Amino acid sequence: MCGIVGYLGNGNVYDILIKGLHRLEYRGYDSAGIALVNPQGALGIYKTKGKVDNLEAYCVGKDLTAGVGIAHTRWATHGEPSDTNAHPHYSEDGEIAVVHNGTIENYKVLKDALVKHGCKFHSETDTEVLVQLIEYIRLNTGCDLVTAVRKAMKKIVGAYAIAVVRKGDPDTLIAARQSSPLVIGIGDGETFLASDATPFVEYTKEAVYLKDGEVAVIRRGEPLKITNLDNKTAEVDVHTLEMSISELEKGGYPHFILKEIFQQPGTLRDCIRGRVINNGDTIAVSGIIDNKEKFLKARRIVIVACGTSWHAGLIGKYLIQDMCHIPVDVEYASEFRYSNPVLTSDDVVIAISQSGETADTLAAVKIARDMGAFVFGISNAVGSSIPRETDAGCYIHVGPEIGVASTKAFTGQVMVLTLVAMAIAQLRHTLTQEQLSNLGHAILQIPDAVEKVLKLAPMLERLSLTFTYAHNFLYLGRGYSYPVALEGALKLKEISYIHAEGYPAAEMKHGPIALIDQEMPSVIVAPKDHLYEKIVSNVQQVKARGGRILAIVTKGDKTIRNLADHVVEVPPMPECLSPIITSIPLQLLSYYIAVNKGKDVDMPRNLAKSVTVE
Ligand code: M6R
C-alpha cells in the first residue's frame, strides 16, 4: 500500500532508490516517482503513472546526480493513478518534497484551511495537503524544517510514514511515522529508509524500526537522531536483520509466486523447526508456554485477520475447537473493529497477518488490548507492527513473500495455527499424549508430502488449459476443506481475474446450484475425512446438473474418480492437517490459468501486498 525509500550517502542515490522501489513494488504499482537533491542543492522531481520501469524510462537523459533522495511507488487511494497524483509531492514554492504511505483522514479540513490562506493544489491527493501544510508552517512561523514537520504531524489525523527533503540541502533527510511502517538502515557513512528493510538489506544489516509518533533526522556525518513530536530525544534501538538477498530474488523461477509455491517444503520445515520436538511427542510454542495462564483460563478465542489470513483463521477455528474445546469466533478485522466487540480479560485474541502491517488487523489488535484481552500475533514480517503491538506471538518463518497473492504464508499460518492448537491442548490436556504424538509425527512428514504434491505441477499445468477460458468457477469444500475452497477461489480471482466463488459444499444447494452448467467448472476439495460421504453426495448433485468437476481427492479414491471429470490425488493426511496439502494444487491451478491468460501474476491489477489503509 505504497512503498517509500530514502537514501543519504555517497553511493549512487538514483540507482539505490530505483532498486529499492523495485523491491517495494509489491506494495503498489499505480505510479512511481523520485525526488533528488543534487550536491549544488537543486531539487529534481521525476514521476510518472505506472510501474517503476516506466519511471526509469522517463528518467533517461535527466540530471540524476544527488546527495540525498526519496522515492515512492503508489497504490492509489486519494485520486486516480496519474502523473499528477504520483509522489513525490512538493510545496507550491518548490522548496520541499515529500513521499507518503498512509492516509490523512482530516485532509479535507486542512486543505480548505490552506486554500483560504492562498495555497494552490495541483493533485487530488491527501499527501499534497501534508507537504503544503509543512511548508505553510515553516514559512509562517519561521521555524526550521524538522520543527515544521513535527508541528504538521500534530495536526494530522490518520496514518503516515513520510520522508522529506529540501531544496538547497543535500545533507538532510527527515522521516516520521504514525501507524504506517518505516525502517531506517544504518550503513557506513550512509543511511537508508524504507517501508520495509528489503531495499537496503544488501548494504547494511543494522536496522532501526521507527515507532509511532517519532521523527528521525538523518544528517550527513552525524549520528541518527530520533525524537518524539514534542522534540524529546528517543532511543535509537538497533536490530540486526536476518534477511538475505537471495530471498528477494526469483532464483531461476519465472515468477515470485511460483518460487514461493515451490519453496513450501522448505518454509514448512522452517516453520516446524524447534517447535515439534522429541521426535514429534512434544509441541513447543514459546509464546504459549510463556503465557500459559492466559491460555489455561481462556474462555473464548477470537481470531481477527483479512483476506488469505482470514481463511487461515477459519482453519484455526476448526483446529482449536477440535483439539482444545474452546469456542472460537473468526472475524474480518475490518468488521470486528466497528462491531462494538465485547471482550474481557478471559478472552484471547489471535491476530493473523503475513505483513504484520494490515491497517484493519492492527486496529483490531489495539481495540482488543484496550479492552483487556490477551492478544497473540501470528506474522511473517519480523519487526513489523503487529508483532510489536501484541502481548505475545509466533512468527511463521516462511521468509519474504513477494508475490502479491499469498501462498507460502498461508500454509505457514495454517501450520502455526496447528501448532498453537496442539500447544494449548497439551496445556489443557484436551488431547491425550497418544493423540498429540500421532499428530506430531504426522506434522514431521508434511514437508515431504508437500514435495510429492508439487510433483503434480506438470499435470496441473496441462489441466489448466482445459479451464483457462471459463468465466466463473465454484470452489466447494466441507469442514477443514471449506476454508481451502475459499482460499482456492481467492487465488484464482486475484491473479487470473476470473470470477470464482468459494462455498461450503452443502450450502450450494441453497442457491449457487442454480449457476451450475457445462460452462461453470466446480473445483471440489474432497479428501477422505469424516465428511467424505457427505461431499460425495455434493459431487453427485453437481454431476446430476451437468456440471464439470475437478476434484482434489486422497490418493486411491475410486468413488469420486468415477464421478468427477478430473481428479488430482494428494497423499493421505490426518483430517486436521489436510488443508496444507489440498491447498497446494489449487495454488498451482490458479497460477497456470493466470499465466495462460497472460496476466501479471506477481503484481495483479488494483492490488497491493500490504494494505496499510482502511
Ligand atoms: O499481510 P496480511 O496477511 O495481513 O494481508 C491480508 C490480506 O491483504 C492478504 O491476505 C490478501 O488477501 C492477499 N492478497 C491474498 O492473496
Side-chain angles (χ1 to χ4, degrees):
M1 197 88 344
C2 299
I4 67 177
V5 200
Y7 174 73
L8 191 156
N10 296 327
N12 185 320
V13 180
Y14 173 79
D15 285 353
I16 290 168
L17 294 178
I18 289 289
K19 209 167 175 188
L21 283 186
H22 277 296
R23 296 256 168 83
L24 292 183
E25 218 169 3
Y26 72 88
R27 301 176 68 88
Y29 28 84
D30 287 328
S31 63
I34 195 162
L36 303 169
V37 183
N38 78 11
Q40 292 72 43
L43 171 63
I45 297 178
Y46 311 110
K47 52 187 193 164
T48 182
K49 185 179 163 182
K51 294 189 175 168
V52 180
D53 285 344
N54 291 13
L55 176 66
E56 283 185 87
Y58 179 74
C59 285
V60 171
K62 307 274 193 307
D63 174 14
L64 302 172
T65 54
V68 65
I70 55 178
H72 188 270
T73 178
R74 178 171 187 243
W75 187 82
T77 54
H78 293 74
E80 58 168 12
S82 68
D83 294 352
T84 314
N85 288 334
H87 297 218
H89 288 282
Y90 46 91
S91 54
E92 208 182 332
D93 58 6
E95 273 288 310
I96 61 173
V98 166
V99 289
H100 166 223
N101 166 214
T103 36
I104 294 164
E105 286 165 18
N106 59 338
Y107 84 100
K108 186 79 180 67
V109 180
L110 294 170
K111 185 171 182 174
D112 290 348
L114 287 165
V115 168
K116 273 197 192 129
H117 286 107
C119 280
K120 289 196 179 59
F121 287 83
H122 306 286
S123 77
E124 302 153 274
T125 65
D126 52 344
T127 307
E128 194 182 0
V129 176
L130 172 62
V131 66
Q132 301 274 33
L133 176 66
I134 294 171
E135 185 62 344
Y136 178 83
I137 293 172
R138 194 180 73 85
L139 293 177
N140 287 281
T141 64
C143 67
D144 60 23
L145 181 57
V146 189
T147 308
V149 168
R150 277 193 208 101
K151 287 186 172 173
M153 293 309 142
K154 284 189 165 182
K155 292 188 183 298
I156 281 168
V157 178
Y160 56 80
I162 60 163
V164 188
V165 289
R166 185 180 169 193
K167 186 166 142 184
D169 189 355
D171 299 322
T172 305
L173 175 59
I174 298 168
R177 92 155 247 177
Q178 178 66 46
S179 301
S180 292
L182 199 57
V183 51
I184 297 171
I186 303 177
D188 187 8
E190 56 186 359
T191 309
F192 308 79
L193 63 85
S195 299
D196 68 34
T198 57
F200 58 77
V201 68
E202 72 226 71
Y203 307 105
T204 179
K205 297 279 190 228
E206 289 191 7
V208 177
Y209 295 93
L210 214 60
K211 299 188 189 80
D212 280 349
E214 287 186 341
V215 177
V217 181
I218 299 156
R219 280 198 224 280
R220 192 179 299 276
E222 291 180 18
L224 169 66
K225 191 174 173 210
I226 300 180
T227 61
N228 66 13
L229 295 187
D230 294 321
N231 199 16
K232 294 226 166 63
T233 302
E235 202 186 327
V236 176
D237 195 2
V238 182
H239 296 254
T240 304
L241 297 172
E242 281 169 17
M243 200 184 290
S244 78
I245 193 71
S246 64
E247 291 178 288
L248 307 175
E249 287 162 353
K250 288 188 193 146
Y253 287 90
H255 300 105
F256 279 110
I257 185 175
L258 191 63
K259 173 186 170 189
E260 287 156 6
I261 292 171
F262 273 87
Q263 276 183 314
Q264 288 174 108
T267 56
L268 288 163
R269 277 189 194 101
D270 291 343
C271 190
I272 295 165
R273 186 168 301 121
R275 293 170 172 164
V276 182
I277 55 176
N278 298 334
N279 203 25
D281 290 342
T282 309
I283 303 301
V285 179
S286 57
I288 306 277
I289 297 166
D290 296 346
N291 298 284
K292 68 177 184 196
E293 69 292 346
K294 299 283 179 194
F295 291 92
L296 280 170
K297 74 165 191 183
R299 287 193 304 134
R300 180 172 68 132
I301 291 181
V302 180
I303 298 179
V304 290
C306 302
T308 286
S309 300
W310 184 79
H311 296 156
L314 282 180
I315 296 170
K317 172 185 170 114
Y318 288 90
L319 289 162
I320 295 169
Q321 292 193 165
D322 279 356
M323 295 188 203
C324 316
H325 313 151
I326 304 172
V328 180
D329 295 326
V330 187
E331 307 261 1
Y332 284 117
S334 54
E335 290 298 318
F336 172 85
R337 61 186 294 194
Y338 297 114
S339 66
N340 293 322
V342 180
L343 294 171
T344 72
S345 57
D346 289 340
D347 292 321
V348 170
V349 171
I350 299 181
I352 310 172
S353 173
Q354 185 285 129
S355 62
E357 299 292 351
T358 298
D360 288 320
T361 312
L362 191 53
V365 164
K366 288 179 179 158
I367 291 167
R369 288 193 78 190
D370 285 350
M371 296 188 78
F374 179 77
V375 184
F376 187 89
I378 296 179
S379 290
N380 188 32
V382 176
S384 57
S385 299
I386 288 174
R388 285 185 287 123
E389 296 282 339
T390 41
D391 295 299
C394 192
Y395 284 114
I396 60 175
H397 291 312
V398 302
E401 190 180 63
I402 314 280
V404 165
S406 197
T407 52
K408 63 176 182 175
F410 174 72
T411 50
Q413 289 165 341
V414 175
M415 178 55 83
V416 162
L417 283 160
T418 309
L419 301 177
V420 163
M422 290 172 73
I424 300 172
Q426 199 171 248
L427 270 181
R428 294 172 69 123
H429 303 292
T430 45
L431 287 182
T432 63
Q433 181 56 51
E434 189 185 355
Q435 287 169 316
L436 275 168
S437 297
N438 287 344
L439 274 180
H441 300 161
I443 286 176
L444 294 173
Q445 307 309 315
I446 284 187
D448 290 346
V450 170
E451 250 161 38
K452 284 191 188 127
V453 180
L454 289 169
K455 295 217 166 81
L456 302 173
M459 177 206 184
L460 283 151
E461 189 173 9
R462 279 194 304 279
L463 261 180
S464 71
L465 297 169
T466 315
F467 293 110
T468 296
Y469 298 100
H471 294 295
N472 297 288
F473 274 75
L474 200 54
Y475 279 69
L476 302 172
R478 302 187 72 142
Y480 283 96
S481 299
Y482 158 52
V484 175
L486 292 179
E487 176 59 10
L490 177 62
K491 284 293 85 83
L492 188 71
K493 276 185 273 212
E494 64 180 337
I495 63 172
S496 74
Y497 318 152
I498 296 174
H499 171 242
E501 288 216 37
Y503 239 81
E507 272 296 301
M508 171 201 56
K509 58 186 176 296
H510 299 288
I513 198 165
L515 294 167
I516 287 171
D517 62 15
Q518 270 287 311
E519 304 297 311
M520 189 181 74
S522 295
V523 178
I524 306 185
V525 189
K528 280 260 168 73
D529 58 19
H530 83 287
L531 293 169
Y532 177 73
E533 298 304 334
K534 308 276 178 200
I535 204 154
V536 169
S537 309
N538 303 133
V539 172
Q540 279 161 332
Q541 288 154 8
V542 175
K543 193 76 200 159
R545 273 124 195 120
R548 285 191 296 151
I549 297 169
L550 164 60
I552 312 297
V553 299
T554 303
K555 197 167 172 46
D557 183 311
K558 292 206 173 55
T559 312
I560 295 184
R561 178 173 282 282
N562 288 333
L563 293 168
D565 299 86
H566 309 276
V567 292
V568 175
E569 290 191 336
V570 297
M573 240 336 117
E575 179 165 349
C576 66
L577 303 181
S578 67
I580 294 175
I581 300 296
T582 52
S583 58
I584 289 172
L586 304 188
Q587 295 171 351
L588 286 165
L589 181 71
S590 304
Y591 171 76
Y592 289 119
I593 290 178
V595 169
N596 297 344
K597 288 175 81 82
K599 302 301 180 201
D600 188 344
V601 291
D602 280 335
M603 289 188 261
R605 70 182 179 205
N606 304 339
L607 286 175
K609 179 104 189 130
S610 178
V611 185
T612 55
V613 295
E614 273 200 62

